[in-house]
Each structure stands twice: as structure tokens, then as C-alpha cells.
Amino acid sequence: MNPFFSIIIPVYNVEAYLRECVDSVLAQRFRDFEIILVNDCTPDASGEICDSYAACDPRVKVVHLSANRGLSEARNAGMAVAQGRYWVFLDSDDYWQGQILGKVYRILQKNPHLEVVRGRFACVEDGSDQQTVYSIAFSSKIRSGLSFMKEMLTKGLEPSAWLYFFAANLYREHDLRFTAGILAEDYDWLPRFLPYVRSLVCLKDIFYIYRTKRPGSLVNAQKAAYRLAQSHATILDALTADILQQPILREYYSASIPLLLTYIGKMDRADRRKWYQKLPQYHYLLQGNSRKAKALKILIAIFGERHYGYPFYLANSLRIRAKHLINSFLGGNFAH
């Protein structure tokens, strides 16, 4: 009999964190699940750790990739062999807290036609146990994926794929593989996933613990800002007319511009100048009436299309710093 849940965990260069990640799933009192560890040709001992878990627990399966393919293709490889009715992703340097599988199972038993259950996350700096909650508490009513996307655009984007427990038939009926070769894989995947969702519910529970400031992680890589900016530009360059005719999706993609500005602000001066010259080709996305679109249009009117980026970056950096100060003052529990 197939398991109820499939937990898909791509593994690469995380031997110091992998056991905490896998153990947080094995600690679930609800037992009807499989763990799929996708060894993305990791250079450390993570592959051996994966095999040791599989040798001790038949619910743990390991897929060994012959070459390093990146997070997107590792997730795709896990989905290709997953047998559960509902799937969820977990990054191998993060972990879960609480008994989330039992709670999601009970919700799905009460609502058998529900396709997606979404939770919340907290951040923990590597080497610390102090949680910081930025994750938004969305409405708990059942609605469609597009309806939820509309609320998300109003309250704030959280495009992380690992927050969603989703029915396997959504993957089988639609092309929901992750796009290879880009870093903003979750941001790209979400607008291809949510429009197909007919019923979704958001939990208030914080179950996912996202590890920040890990040595060697992408966010600490020297060229991460450039690569992330290039990934977002690739996503925008691939947009088609039928996508842009849908107001919700158009507004979603307009959020790429402030994300691009954030990454560009972290580059050196020469790269910043090149990217600021490139940005005007995406300004057509700012035709909506969202708060961010209005703010960006005001900045463009004041500073011009090729010079508004750095003022935005400075203002956004001050806003983020203020939020961190507020969070520190409140003891790590600030939430939207």
C-alpha cells in the first residue's frame, strides 16, 4: 500500500545538518509516510548518511544522482519516484518542529477533497536556537489557489515551495516539474502551481524551521546576488501573452522588480550600472495598482528609469533593518 505522505529532501553538502533534518521527520508520531532522500552527487559524507538511514528504516528511500544537477532537478527526481497521496518538500539544511504530519492528516480526513495544506515557517541563525518569525498568518478559510495568491499579493509574498503539502495528482495532471538551471526555482514554480489548485487551506502553525547564515550556503555565496538577478530576469523573459493577460499573475510577476532591485543593490558598481540599464524593459509589469507598483512608479517619476534603483535599495534596507530591530526588541516573535 502506498504511503499517505511523501517527504522529498534534496541533499547536497549538508553532512552537519542532515541528521537533524531527517530526524525531525522520523520523530513524527504519524507514521504513514516515506522519505525520499535525493543525493545530488554531494562531495561530502551526506550520501553515506542517506544510505545509513535507508538501511535502518524501510520508509527511507535514497535516489543517487550521477552528477550534481541542482535543487530543481533533485526535487524533480524525488517527485518521479514518490508514491504518497500528498507530497511536501524539505531542504536538507532545515528541519521541522512539532507534529505537523498528524495535524495535516486530520485536516485532510475531515476535508477529503482538499488539495493543498499550507503552513508557516520561522528562521533560525546557524548555531542558534532563537527563532525569528516573519511568516505571514493568512486567512484559514478554504479557497482556490488563485484566491490565495490574491491575498498573498496583498499581504506579502512567501513563494517557498516547502510550505505546501499538496495532492500528488496535481503533479501528475499538470507539468509541475521545477525549471532546471535557475536559482529562483520556488518563485518560478508557485504561479505554475497555484492556478491549478481548487481547494487550499492555510494553517497558523509554524512547522518549518529555515536555517539562515549557514557557511557555504547560497545566500552567503559571493556571486549569489548576480545569479539570483539573472534567474529572475530569465523568468520574466519567458513570460507569454496568455500569462500576462491574467491580472493576478501579472501582478505576481511585477514583484520581480523589487526583488531584482534588492539583488542589484548588493552588486559592485559596474554590475549595478549594467542592470539598471536593463530594468526599464520590465517596467510594463508595473501597470497594476498594488502598493509596491505605486511606490516604484513614484520613485521612477522622481529619479528616472535608470537611477531610481539605488534609492529603492537604501530605503528597503532601512525598512528591513528596522524590522529586525523590532523583532529583537520583541524577543524574536515579530510576525505580520
Side-chain angles (χ1 to χ4, degrees):
M1 182 181 294
N2 291 338
F4 195 85
F5 291 109
S6 293
I7 298 94
I8 299 166
I9 307 178
V11 176
Y12 183 80
N13 204 24
V14 288
E15 61 179 310
Y17 310 101
L18 182 56
R19 292 188 186 278
E20 183 176 23
C21 172
V22 178
D23 288 346
S24 72
V25 180
L26 294 176
Q28 299 292 307
R29 289 192 291 269
F30 182 86
R31 311 297 289 170
D32 188 12
F33 62 82
E34 65 176 357
I35 298 175
I36 300 173
L37 299 170
V38 183
N39 172 18
D40 193 17
C41 199
T42 182
D44 65 358
S46 297
E48 289 80 359
I49 295 173
C50 291
D51 289 335
S52 70
Y53 274 102
C56 296
D57 194 320
R59 295 172 301 172
V60 180
K61 301 175 176 63
V62 183
V63 177
H64 292 284
L65 301 183
S66 59
N68 176 236
R69 301 179 187 174
L71 180 60
S72 290
E73 295 208 58
R75 284 177 175 170
N76 291 341
M79 289 192 291
V81 300
Q83 298 295 314
R85 289 176 55 188
Y86 287 83
W87 300 352
V88 64
F89 302 110
L90 172 57
D91 287 352
S92 51
D93 53 349
D94 301 330
Y95 57 95
W96 287 353
Q97 70 176 10
Q99 296 296 321
I100 188 63
L101 289 186
K103 176 148 193 173
V104 173
Y105 176 76
R106 289 190 293 272
I107 291 171
L108 293 171
Q109 290 298 102
K110 291 179 182 178
N111 303 277
H113 300 297
L114 195 60
E115 292 181 317
V116 175
V117 178
R118 184 189 190 276
R120 297 171 66 204
F121 72 97
C123 297
V124 171
E125 286 192 15
D126 190 34
S128 169
D129 58 0
Q130 177 64 57
Q131 293 187 11
T132 303
V133 181
Y134 298 120
S135 190
I136 300 167
F138 291 103
S139 167
S140 58
K141 67 180 181 180
I142 296 177
R143 71 274 210 196
S144 69
L146 281 176
S147 178
F148 168 67
M149 182 177 265
K150 188 174 182 179
E151 182 185 358
M152 187 167 56
L153 289 169
T154 301
K155 290 187 174 181
L157 283 179
E158 287 185 357
S160 301
W162 29 255
L163 292 175
Y164 296 86
F165 294 80
F166 62 97
N169 67 288
L170 289 168
Y171 168 81
R172 298 189 179 104
E173 294 172 7
H174 312 287
D175 184 12
L176 292 181
R177 291 170 296 174
F178 286 82
T179 302
I182 62 172
L183 297 184
E185 60 282 318
D186 289 5
Y187 183 84
D188 170 71
W189 183 77
L190 201 67
R192 294 190 287 108
F193 163 66
L194 285 176
Y196 294 118
V197 176
R198 291 163 294 190
S199 54
L200 171 151
V201 70
C202 293
L203 305 181
K204 305 295 184 184
D205 302 64
I206 294 169
F207 79 98
Y208 194 100
I209 307 302
Y210 177 80
R211 195 186 306 273
T212 64
K213 298 185 179 180
R214 177 174 72 82
S217 68
L218 171 64
V219 292
N220 292 320
Q222 185 176 10
K223 296 182 180 179
Y226 186 91
R227 294 172 63 200
L228 283 164
Q230 188 58 58
S231 291
H232 277 275
T234 300
I235 292 168
L236 295 182
D237 291 341
L239 294 180
T240 59
D242 59 321
I243 291 174
L244 295 173
Q245 286 174 0
Q246 302 180 61
I248 293 178
L249 294 182
R250 187 187 186 96
E251 186 175 346
Y252 176 87
Y253 286 111
S254 72
S256 277
I257 296 177
L259 287 171
L260 277 168
L261 289 167
T262 300
Y263 301 138
I264 294 168
K266 298 177 182 179
M267 298 177 188
D268 61 35
R269 183 175 297 178
D271 282 333
R272 282 205 308 267
R273 188 177 297 114
K274 292 176 185 176
W275 277 93
Y276 287 149
Q277 297 296 314
K278 182 182 178 71
L279 272 178
Q281 67 181 286
Y282 303 124
H283 287 165
Y284 71 92
L285 291 168
L286 298 176
Q287 295 177 11
N289 292 316
S290 67
R291 287 181 299 172
K292 285 187 177 180
K294 289 179 179 178
L296 288 170
K297 285 187 282 189
I298 290 171
L299 285 173
I300 291 171
I302 295 172
F303 296 101
E305 283 196 328
R306 289 175 172 79
H307 303 287
Y308 76 99
Y310 204 62
F312 170 88
Y313 174 73
L314 291 175
N316 195 51
S317 298
L318 289 172
R319 180 186 65 82
I320 294 172
R321 187 170 300 177
K323 185 181 291 187
H324 278 283
L325 288 173
I326 294 171
N327 185 74
S328 298
F329 179 75
L330 296 177
N333 292 314
F334 175 75
H336 294 269

